[in-house]
Amino acid sequence: MYPSANDPNRVIIFDTTMRDGEQSPGASMNLHEKLEIARTLEALGVDVIEAGFPIASPDDFAAVKAIAAQCERATVCALARSLKGDIDRTAEAVKPAGKRSRVHIVLGTSAIHRQFKFNKAKEEIVKQARDSVAYARTLCDDIEFSAEDSSRTEPDFLAEVLEAVIAAGARTVNIPDTLGYACPSDYADLVTYLRKNVRGIDGVVISVHCHDDLGLAVANSLAGVQAGARQIECTINGIGERAGNCALEEVVMAMRVRKDQFKGITTGIVSEHLYGASRLVQSITGLPLQRNKAIVGDNAFAHESGIHQDGIIKNPENYEIMTPKSVGVSGTTLVLGKHSGKAALSKRLTDLGLPMQDSDMVKLMDAFKSLADRKKEIYDGDLIALVEDVIRGTTLSAWKLDYLHTSAGTGAVATATITLSKDGQLVTDAATGDGPVDAVVKVLNRICGVDGSVEDFRLRAVTKGGDALGEVSIRAKIREVVIGGKGLSTDIVHASALAYLDAVNRAGVQSRKIDYHAEGSVP
């Protein structure tokens, strides 16, 4: 279906999120989740979906069969060892895909695998590889063969094995860097050697499957493509065994952005769906995505440095080599923090309807830097409070927590009773909620007369031991403004109450209905 001879520059994207990716500890997926991922992969434009390892369990068999029946465009593939029972089971599982079904056979070829895993001589490995492919061709037309641990296999023996399986009917030959051992130059040399020394290899697709044990999975995959490989086996977010696999989103965008290095190379990936696919897999597997993850991480298009922010405002290409929208991200984020400069602060204030004169910006910058030294990130509500305090010179009276009592337990309704003080007056109220923190938020909303909610909640221990201080950082939405708040206590609920009250006090400027366009604020 994807013969390289017809389009020598078309790179086939083979996704193994549901097979190799699921082998990542803690990443197991149920049938409903796998079907959802398969739909997403088809919408993404993946060419081949490796749906599982049918012999592993009845559930895996059922999932592969269901995915094969559901998919309408992509080839559906499943893994089998070079054993008759595995091949039978795999061929049966992918059968509902019809002409779009593929059986993927794997057999170790390196010296260490031959000696310690199989205890077989070279000629026995060649015979087993050839016979398994020949048998699989009687059940399925599209056969892929993987020489496991190719990068640690003697090149001349690897060539002998691949020549045998091609003669037996394999349409795709995979050159796995199973242990993530290769370096890009080594891996490219290996692919080049095989293209020159394996009879019949020009009539099949050469595939690369690289692991990330040395952090080189994407680099090795790209090196393989430059050497002539035309299928990349990868996973969403790079999940997989041990350190993971080649990350689909990274390898695809690398070829697209660096067209000078990959002239004419194309894929069928709809890159605008990359971010959504990433978040779906993260949600289903529960595997956290580091903020600085390339392409789809929270920080991929976020800038805090003042120099970078100024450059982005002038022209995004100063500090972004692709547009956020090209991978499905809504836009660039200018994070306001201690490294931010005047340009980013001025732009954000203008966006909020608070453009400042140069003289006001000087005073505001000093207050902003002082606040940024105490907070990791500055929210819109913080900026509004700064403008009120620094430019208007208004001192806000704040609510203070005088008393807090909560009760909760299994089968019991969580209740919070709170007394706040403000301007010498005490106000007490109580509320119930879905847990003690929810009850605290509800009673604080009632006392303070706001309609707020917690959008993000984070807890960290700032000291050690059983009586450790806990710091709660929240992002709250109060009167349609996002505001940060922090609280510190040895009691988590108490710290949560202090953090939310901090946010409410910061939002207090909103209730004053300030005329931000008064004389002296707008140029």
Side-chain angles (χ1 to χ4, degrees):
M1 186 175 180
Y2 307 104
S4 57
N6 290 350
D7 187 355
N9 290 324
R10 174 70 153 80
V11 173
I12 300 162
I13 299 300
F14 176 116
D15 181 90
T16 183
T17 299
M18 292 183 287
R19 199 279 298 171
D20 206 335
E22 192 186 28
Q23 291 173 204
S24 179
S28 294
M29 312 167 201
N30 61 35
L31 175 59
H32 173 76
E33 292 167 339
K34 284 193 171 185
L35 289 171
E36 187 176 2
I37 288 177
R39 284 191 292 270
T40 297
L41 293 176
E42 277 215 298
L44 182 60
V46 164
D47 300 300
V48 183
I49 298 174
E50 187 165 49
F53 188 18
I55 199 70
S57 72
D59 284 348
D60 225 35
F61 174 84
V64 173
K65 195 168 185 177
I67 291 167
Q70 172 186 277
C71 288
E72 299 178 350
R73 182 197 57 77
T75 292
V76 178
C77 170
L79 188 69
R81 294 168 297 181
S82 56
L83 303 172
K84 184 176 181 298
D86 277 37
I87 294 168
D88 288 339
R89 192 70 167 158
T90 298
E92 184 182 356
V94 300
K95 190 175 181 179
K99 292 181 180 180
R100 293 178 291 100
S101 60
R102 175 183 294 186
V103 172
H104 181 191
I105 298 171
V106 61
L107 177 65
T109 55
S110 66
I112 194 165
H113 278 216
R114 296 194 306 266
Q115 180 179 355
F116 296 105
K117 187 174 177 180
F118 302 117
N119 191 27
K120 290 188 175 184
K122 286 183 176 179
E123 55 271 21
E124 293 177 288
I125 294 293
V126 174
K127 182 178 185 304
Q128 184 172 338
R130 180 180 59 243
D131 290 351
S132 63
V133 170
Y135 176 69
R137 275 299 302 268
T138 67
L139 304 175
C140 180
D141 195 45
D142 186 357
I143 306 300
E144 174 174 341
F145 178 83
S146 283
E148 187 180 13
D149 206 16
S150 286
S151 56
R152 296 196 300 170
T153 300
E154 308 91 325
D156 59 340
F157 177 62
L158 181 60
E160 183 181 353
V161 173
L162 296 185
E163 195 167 294
V165 298
I166 291 171
R171 289 188 173 187
T172 302
V173 289
N174 187 29
I175 319 299
D177 182 28
T178 307
L179 276 298
Y181 177 76
C183 288
S185 58
D186 302 333
Y187 198 62
D189 289 346
L190 179 59
V191 173
T192 299
Y193 173 86
L194 296 172
R195 291 185 68 196
K196 290 180 179 178
N197 292 280
V198 176
R199 282 180 296 180
I201 202 166
D202 289 341
V204 301
V205 174
I206 301 174
S207 180
V208 294
H209 179 116
C210 300
H211 279 261
D212 210 34
D213 297 71
L214 293 176
L216 295 171
V218 171
N220 284 332
S221 298
L222 293 171
V225 169
Q226 289 178 319
R230 286 299 178 264
Q231 176 175 284
I232 299 175
E233 304 192 3
C234 45
T235 63
I236 300 294
N237 297 337
I239 66 171
E241 288 272 10
R242 304 180 312 281
N245 289 51
C246 171
L248 184 153
E249 60 280 355
E250 294 179 22
V251 76
V252 166
M253 292 310 294
M255 291 187 293
R256 187 166 299 184
V257 171
R258 293 305 307 272
K259 290 179 180 178
D260 58 320
Q261 296 293 315
F262 299 91
K263 292 180 180 179
I265 291 295
T266 63
T267 72
I269 295 298
V270 183
S271 64
E272 290 79 6
H273 293 331
L274 287 171
Y275 184 80
S278 167
R279 287 307 183 268
L280 174 67
V281 170
Q282 180 187 25
S283 173
I284 286 175
T285 63
L287 297 177
L289 196 67
Q290 67 268 33
R291 294 184 65 89
N292 64 327
K293 169 75 170 64
I295 313 299
V296 292
D298 288 344
N299 290 352
F301 298 97
H303 307 268
E304 185 184 337
S305 163
I307 295 173
H308 286 214
Q309 290 175 337
D310 181 60
I312 285 289
I313 291 169
K314 291 174 178 174
N315 186 335
E317 291 186 12
N318 279 323
Y319 287 103
E320 289 180 351
I321 59 174
M322 68 193 85
T323 66
K325 290 183 178 179
S326 71
V327 298
V329 177
S330 59
T332 296
T333 302
L334 299 182
V335 179
L336 294 179
K338 67 179 183 179
H339 300 110
S340 299
K342 180 180 176 181
L345 178 59
S346 179
K347 182 180 185 303
R348 189 64 196 138
L349 288 170
T350 300
D351 292 342
L352 290 170
L354 301 171
M356 294 286 122
Q357 291 184 346
D358 289 344
S359 57
D360 287 339
M361 278 300 299
V362 173
K363 292 186 290 183
L364 200 59
M365 274 301 296
D366 289 339
F368 172 79
K369 288 292 187 180
S370 177
L371 179 61
D373 281 337
R374 304 193 302 271
K375 295 190 61 172
K376 288 187 176 181
E377 187 172 345
I378 308 298
Y379 298 105
D380 290 350
D382 301 316
L383 294 181
I384 294 169
L386 276 180
V387 170
E388 173 67 4
D389 187 45
V390 176
I391 306 304
R392 303 289 182 226
T394 300
T395 301
L396 296 172
S397 57
W399 291 101
K400 295 180 181 179
L401 182 64
D402 276 33
Y403 173 81
L404 167 66
H405 175 76
T406 61
S407 62
T410 304
V413 177
T415 304
T417 303
I418 291 177
T419 298
L420 299 183
S421 64
K422 184 178 181 180
D423 299 330
Q425 293 185 337
L426 296 176
V427 182
T428 301
D429 205 342
T432 60
D434 184 14
V437 174
D438 183 53
V440 163
V441 170
K442 287 181 177 177
V443 72
L444 287 175
N445 279 340
R446 284 167 55 168
I447 294 176
C448 301
V450 300
D451 181 17
S453 61
V454 176
E455 296 202 335
D456 185 50
F457 181 98
R458 300 187 184 188
L459 170 69
R460 72 181 184 96
V462 294
T463 56
K464 296 181 179 180
D467 59 348
L469 278 173
E471 181 187 71
V472 170
S473 300
I474 67 166
R475 187 169 69 242
K477 189 172 186 180
I478 300 173
R479 296 190 180 93
E480 301 306 313
V481 176
V482 175
I483 300 176
K486 283 189 177 182
L488 190 67
S489 175
T490 56
D491 181 275
I492 294 172
V493 177
H494 185 221
S496 303
L498 293 173
Y500 191 73
L501 194 58
D502 183 32
V504 169
N505 282 325
R506 292 176 183 277
V509 292
Q510 293 295 290
S511 63
R512 303 178 66 87
K513 301 185 183 300
I514 302 165
D515 178 9
Y516 294 122
H517 298 285
E519 184 179 353
S521 292
V522 183

